[in-house]
Amino acid sequence: MSQPAFGHVGSYRPGDTFRDRLTLAASGVHRPRRAGVCGTQQLGAESIVLAGQYEDDEFGEEEIRYAGNGGRDPKTGRQITDQVASGANLALLKSAETGRPVRVLRKVPAEDGGPDVYRYEGLYRVVGSSYGPGKSGFRVYVFRLRPFDF
């Protein structure tokens, strides 16, 4: 396992694209092949991926609202229970405390019309969070991220 890295990795910069999760993991920009959050509750989140999996995610120009992890049905992808304070959610809560940069990646359509790709959006800071009813009625964590201001 690679060492935690906060900030840009290697020569990768915003706008760079990756054809799939394996390529993304190999680059080190987002190491987990499936999980949407890379990080630990001790150090915080290094990177996140918005892949259209959670109905409460919103990607805006000035702010991202990133739904926490858990509570989804593995077959349908629908929220079926409340999320809990564990794993990835604790990593994102820690990031709000530390102020360390979080790399943000987003699944987007490929420019050539091929399969979707993962685009590196840049460095963001977790500026706050809430825990309450999401669109499904179940309680979810929603993390607010804004572009990192150096």
Side-chain angles (χ1 to χ4, degrees), residues 34 51-55 70-81 136 138:
R34 295 182 53 97
Q53 303 291 314
Y54 285 88
E55 63 191 4
R72 290 177 53 236
D73 181 292
K75 290 189 170 103
T76 66
R78 297 174 105 143
Q79 198 74 30
I80 57 170
T81 63
S136 65
F138 294 101

Side-chain angles (χ1 to χ4, degrees), residues 5 30 44 46 56 71 80 86 97-98 105 111-112 144 146:
H30 184 78
E46 298 171 49
D56 294 291
I80 57 170
S86 65
E97 283 179 32
T98 66
L105 296 115
E111 290 182 14
D112 63 5
R144 295 177 29 245
R146 292 199 178 132

Side-chain angles (χ1 to χ4, degrees), residues 6 37 39-46 86-102 125-129 141 143:
F6 297 90
V37 177
T40 66
Q41 65 186 57
Q42 294 82 16
L43 298 175
E46 298 171 49
S86 65
N89 295 333
L90 290 175
L92 286 159
L93 288 168
K94 185 66 169 183
S95 289
E97 283 179 32
T98 66
R100 285 186 173 136
V102 178
R125 180 188 313 267
V126 179
V127 297
S129 66
Y141 285 93
F143 298 93

